[in-house]
Amino acid sequence: MILTDEQRLDWLRLIRSEKVGPRTFRALINQYGGAAGALEALPDLGRRSGSPGLKVCTRAEAETEMAGAARLGVRFIAMGEPDYPKTLQAVDTAPPLIALRGSAGILAKPSVAVVGSRNASASGLTFAERLARQLGEAGYSVVSGLARGVDTRAHRASLATGTVAVLAGGHDRIYPVQNAPLVETIVEQGGAVLSEMPMDWEPRGRDFPRRNRIVSGLCYGVVVVEAARRSGSLITARFALEQGREVFAVPGSPLDPRAEGTNDLIREGATLCASVEHVTSVLEPLIASGPRLDQGAEEPIHLLGSEELWDELDLPDVLRAPVRPIMPEAGADDATGDVQSDLVAFLGPSPVTVDDLVRQSGLSIRNVQMALLELEIAGRLERHGGNAVSLITSP
């Protein structure tokens, strides 16, 4: 699939609209047959869900962002397009659009993430540098989050062979600012820098975990070099496990707090990493059956969640996300407040699949879908992997 310019603008408007995240985006696309239909329906959906002031990104706002992106050499790539990373596409929280600066070709290479402490030890930095360089020589691109310490060393060591930096903020707000020259070097030497955030977005604390799910989602494996027990690198490792990726940890001295997190990971089952061979020997079987590029042509209503999509990606089973489409039923009545009330009785804090909701409630799939969208826009519903949902209860 390749979006038209108009479709790309609609996708940007939809994902930039209030209360629309990746999973809501998918549900809206499935319900309304595309971004244009979803945008048209959002105001009414907001009113019905008790959010009459729901802010929908305007055409002018999206055009301004696209113009700013073009000035920086940034382009927007949509999920399902040939240049969208296929490993990331298999993640059920993958961003519908990524803003890419640099080479899209590097995203097609098998990737390994190298992450770790911002305040790493000298030995940790040395190992990160050596590992990243050797991974590049072995044919992998190296992905990291552009942070100080281990991330920066990993990027620098793999400049010649290809590195990918994932931003927590927008391309106009490089963080940390000291790494702005590194970003330029990455782009000049054939690497890539990407973000899901608006161009001028200043990163906040909660944006770094969002970035970390992309770091792990791009890769077949994640190597944690050093991490304290409350380190953000452990969040990346957790995402990697949830996404079916391999997790590697570099052992360290039990006397060094910066090694507590990595030593814990090893104790919990992560693969010990003391050399590049410890990584490549585990990943080679996955790479041998890895994804191939697909040249789809349209924006089908099942684009973001069907079995056909995973078959086209030809991903190994370990990288497949358990996502199912939510398809409307022809001729079904629109969801009403009564339907929403009926459905809430079947929901709770524990995730339940949409299929089970339809079966247990006796409601049509269209009515269930509409009621769930209204609850989600109202901030009362959370979506999970495997097409599951749960009710957000007040603390």
Side-chain angles (χ1 to χ4, degrees), residues 9 12-13 56-68:
L9 190 70
L12 183 60
R13 288 185 60 199
V56 178
C57 178
T58 67
R59 183 183 184 91
E61 289 169 336
E63 287 175 339
T64 297
E65 182 174 352
M66 281 193 161

Side-chain angles (χ1 to χ4, degrees), residues 67-115:
R71 284 193 293 271
L72 280 180
V74 173
R75 62 190 181 100
F76 292 97
I77 302 174
M79 177 181 285
E81 292 191 306
D83 286 339
Y84 195 98
K86 298 305 182 282
T87 46
L88 181 60
Q89 189 156 301
V91 176
D92 69 347
T93 57
L97 282 176
I98 54 172
L100 174 71
R101 186 178 176 207
S103 170
I106 195 69
L107 301 178
K109 290 178 63 176
S111 301
V112 176
V114 178
V115 299

Side-chain angles (χ1 to χ4, degrees), residues 52-381:
L54 183 71
K55 186 181 186 307
V56 178
C57 178
T58 67
R59 183 183 184 91
E61 289 169 336
E63 287 175 339
T64 297
E65 182 174 352
M66 281 193 161
R71 284 193 293 271
L72 280 180
V74 173
R75 62 190 181 100
F76 292 97
I77 302 174
M79 177 181 285
E81 292 191 306
D83 286 339
Y84 195 98
K86 298 305 182 282
T87 46
L88 181 60
Q89 189 156 301
V91 176
D92 69 347
T93 57
L97 282 176
I98 54 172
L100 174 71
R101 186 178 176 207
S103 170
I106 195 69
L107 301 178
K109 290 178 63 176
S111 301
V112 176
V114 178
V115 299
S117 174
R118 287 174 171 81
N119 301 304
S121 66
S123 60
L125 293 173
T126 299
F127 185 84
E129 190 173 59
R130 183 176 69 187
L131 180 67
R133 183 175 61 253
Q134 292 174 342
L135 284 168
E137 293 168 351
Y140 296 85
S141 62
V142 172
V143 178
S144 202
L146 202 72
R148 300 180 184 90
V150 168
D151 290 22
T152 296
R153 286 297 182 94
H155 286 308
R156 291 193 181 280
S158 54
L159 284 169
T161 52
T163 188
V164 179
V166 184
L167 305 178
H171 284 274
D172 262 348
R173 295 290 186 271
I174 301 300
Y175 181 88
V177 68
Q178 293 91 336
N179 273 348
L182 176 57
V183 166
E184 300 301 321
T185 305
I186 289 172
V187 173
E188 290 167 3
Q189 297 202 23
V193 182
L194 62 87
S195 174
E196 68 173 324
M197 307 304 288
M199 291 294 295
D200 60 352
W201 189 266
E202 192 76 45
R204 303 160 298 177
R206 63 185 178 186
D207 297 322
F208 292 94
R210 291 184 60 170
R211 174 206 60 189
N212 293 352
R213 90 190 192 285
I214 298 177
V215 170
S216 58
L218 287 167
C219 303
Y220 281 84
V222 172
V223 183
V224 184
V225 176
E226 283 186 347
R229 286 204 168 106
R230 297 178 64 85
S231 169
S233 299
L234 299 184
I235 297 176
T236 310
R238 176 172 59 81
F239 280 128
L241 290 171
E242 292 174 356
Q243 295 162 355
R245 277 42 172 173
E246 297 293 330
V247 175
F248 305 85
V250 178
S253 168
L255 300 178
D256 188 344
R258 290 168 294 197
E260 289 178 344
T262 48
N263 290 342
D264 286 347
L265 286 175
I266 294 169
R267 189 172 65 251
E268 293 163 5
T271 300
L272 185 149
C273 174
S275 71
V276 70
E277 289 79 17
H278 292 157
V279 178
T280 57
S281 64
V282 172
L283 297 185
E284 280 172 2
L286 296 178
I287 303 305
S289 60
R292 65 172 182 264
L293 292 176
D294 180 73
Q295 302 290 327
E298 296 186 18
E299 181 195 14
I301 61 175
H302 62 272
L303 171 65
L304 298 177
S306 70
E307 284 300 314
E308 290 90 339
L309 176 61
W310 307 126
D311 292 340
E312 288 172 6
L313 296 182
D314 194 28
L315 291 164
D317 289 341
V318 71
L319 295 185
R320 289 173 178 257
V323 179
R324 298 291 185 272
I326 305 173
M327 302 296 292
E329 286 185 348
D333 294 334
D334 288 341
T336 65
D338 289 340
V339 169
Q340 187 182 117
S341 299
D342 291 343
L343 196 63
V344 167
F346 292 92
L347 288 167
S350 299
V352 59
T353 67
V354 174
D355 289 344
D356 283 342
L357 283 175
V358 172
R359 185 164 50 250
Q360 297 298 333
S361 69
L363 299 168
S364 73
I365 191 168
R366 180 177 177 83
N367 280 356
V368 168
Q369 181 181 13
M370 287 299 300
L372 292 177
L373 280 171
E374 292 173 10
L375 288 167
E376 190 169 14
I377 295 298
R380 299 181 61 196
L381 187 85

